[in-house]
Amino acid sequence: MHAAGALIARQNLPVPMTRLDDSDPALMQELLETVSRVARSAEFTLGPDVPAFEAEFAAYCGSRHAIGVSSGTDALALTLRALRIGPGDEVLVPANTFIGTAEAVSMAGAVPRFVDVDAHTGLVTADGIREALGPRTRCMIPVHLYGRTVDLEPIVELARERGVAVVEDACQAHGAWVGLRRAGAVGDAGCFSFYPAKNLGAWGDAGAVVTDDPVLADRVRLIRAHGERVRYHHEVVGTTARMDTIQAAILRVKLRRLDPWNAARRRAGAALEAALHGAPVTVVPLSLLADNVFHQFVVTSADRDGLRAHLAPRGIATAIHYPIPIHQTPAYAAALHHPLPVSGNLAQQIISLPMHPGITDEEIARTAHAVHEFAP
């Protein structure tokens, strides 16, 4: 095919939201060999790759401890239980996030109280948290959403004044920075999801808790495995929330690539933001103190559904993260909260555009061009 024909062919290809590991043959081969190694060992539950990954991930995050668990939701729920948060306690949760953050509170037996977010960043702030604090508040969960980091310093300061724990939901912010520390390493604990589409993704569900507190780390380890340190000697009522050895082995391979992948996401995010200048969308800005590893590239549009309908036939994939604020779902219709107008408005306007480390300059240009063509 001649050059012009090849260009036309590429331009007709869809621009996907993300690409998974099978798009990188060298990585795929290494991961298949890793899975084969674990399979031959038959050490599928808490095999040697689990503590090895825990040590490597703790070092990467700059935390003293990391505990591998079965999902990001379990990471949050086990952390709350380890903090002895339960019935009668309230936990502050942003309304603009994935429901798993609130579900973890419910799983621990506590009550989520929803907090509105900043209109510009979509993230929770110290002012919003201060308004929602009550006499039963035991913990606050700031969420580093879409890869953007929350301004944690005033939140942690407020929490210390009130004697309230801070558990970071860093499930979408692997490797992001909060000042001089990694996301997840600033509060009392940080929780991560390794769902396959995350910046650091496993081949199934997996998660981790990071903390500097040895007592908290010990309790999370205890609870994740039926409350036992010695087989059949159950010290507390626990659960089955262990990280599979295969997932740990895969994550060890991919952790070595996380910083280059995040650098590629940052470059792509900056390029797409520049290319969208003057387009009929609003790109959410970052404060000078924030970082963004672009788990998602989220913009707002007054005619979000019209924009999606415009982009779809042009091969530009889109998504909505998230279309219904948690407090408006049937599951939490009776939940505690003050008025949450910002979260409600954002849910009607947010749209995620393609973003991943392998996105090409051409795909960025095609995406931006298609958005510019939209006439709301």
Side-chain angles (χ1 to χ4, degrees):
M1 184 182 295
H2 58 77
L7 177 61
I8 292 171
R10 288 197 302 272
Q11 289 177 338
N12 289 332
L13 291 174
V15 180
M17 283 295 298
T18 189
R19 291 191 178 94
L20 298 179
D21 298 332
D22 58 353
S23 65
D24 183 337
L27 172 63
M28 190 67 176
Q29 182 60 36
E30 185 174 359
L31 292 174
L32 288 172
E33 291 170 0
T34 297
V35 170
S36 178
R37 171 179 62 78
V38 175
R40 287 194 300 271
S41 75
E43 294 183 287
F44 299 113
T45 302
L46 294 181
D49 281 288
V50 175
F53 171 72
E54 290 173 335
E56 291 161 5
F57 192 62
Y60 176 83
C61 292
S63 294
R64 292 176 184 165
H65 306 275
I67 308 95
V69 296
S70 52
S71 71
T73 305
D74 279 331
L76 288 162
L78 268 61
T79 299
L80 294 173
R81 286 189 59 189
L83 288 167
R84 292 181 165 82
I85 292 170
D89 297 328
E90 293 179 7
V91 179
L92 304 186
V93 176
N96 179 41
T97 187
F98 181 60
I99 197 171
T101 312
E103 285 177 322
V105 178
S106 300
M107 289 164 62
V111 175
R113 179 182 286 273
F114 294 107
V115 182
D116 213 357
V117 295
D118 179 75
H120 297 291
T121 66
L123 304 176
V124 72
T125 66
D127 288 341
I129 286 174
R130 184 178 291 105
E131 182 180 351
L133 279 167
R136 294 185 177 181
T137 303
R138 288 283 315 284
C139 180
M140 51 186 72
I141 306 181
V143 180
H144 302 295
L145 195 64
Y146 309 141
R148 304 171 187 153
T149 55
V150 173
D151 184 6
L152 275 182
E153 183 177 349
I155 292 175
V156 171
E157 183 178 343
L158 175 62
R160 298 297 176 256
E161 290 174 1
R162 301 295 185 92
V164 173
V166 176
V167 175
E168 296 175 68
D169 183 334
C171 291
Q172 299 184 9
H174 314 72
W177 292 97
V178 180
L180 298 177
R181 301 204 69 180
R182 297 281 191 184
V186 179
D188 295 283
C191 298
F192 293 85
S193 164
F194 303 118
Y195 184 76
K198 298 297 175 77
N199 292 37
L200 179 61
W203 277 9
D205 284 315
V209 179
V210 300
T211 182
D212 287 338
D213 184 341
V215 175
L216 178 60
D218 182 66
R219 281 190 57 80
V220 172
R221 287 194 183 94
L222 191 62
I223 296 168
R224 76 173 175 180
H226 298 293
E228 63 179 18
R229 304 176 205 274
V230 178
R231 187 67 167 158
Y232 300 123
H233 291 263
H234 306 282
E235 300 177 30
V236 298
V237 176
T239 187
T240 303
R242 301 166 295 218
M243 176 181 281
D244 292 334
T245 306
I246 284 176
Q247 305 302 350
I250 287 169
L251 290 167
R252 294 184 69 195
V253 172
K254 297 176 75 173
L255 180 60
R256 299 193 296 269
R257 294 168 166 84
L258 179 56
D259 280 344
W261 284 340
N262 280 345
R265 286 177 181 269
R266 289 188 180 99
R267 287 193 297 269
L272 183 53
E273 181 175 352
L276 288 172
H277 182 72
V281 296
T282 299
V283 179
V284 177
L286 281 178
S287 74
L288 294 177
L289 300 176
D291 186 19
N292 194 346
V293 289
F294 289 97
H295 174 58
Q296 305 291 349
F297 190 97
V298 178
V299 300
T300 60
S301 168
D303 186 10
R304 185 262 311 283
D305 295 338
L307 177 57
R308 295 191 78 195
H310 167 81
L311 295 176
R314 290 162 175 79
I316 312 298
T318 61
I320 304 173
H321 301 95
Y322 298 94
I324 305 174
I326 305 176
H327 68 288
Q328 293 180 0
T329 64
Y332 286 103
L336 303 172
H337 58 82
H338 293 290
L340 306 171
V342 175
S343 297
N345 290 336
L346 282 174
Q348 302 301 315
Q349 298 180 16
I350 48 179
I351 174 173
S352 299
L353 300 176
M355 177 54 56
H356 52 85
I359 193 169
T360 66
D361 291 343
E362 181 186 15
E363 289 173 327
I364 291 170
R366 284 178 56 200
T367 299
H369 179 72
V371 175
H372 275 281
E373 287 184 322
F374 178 59

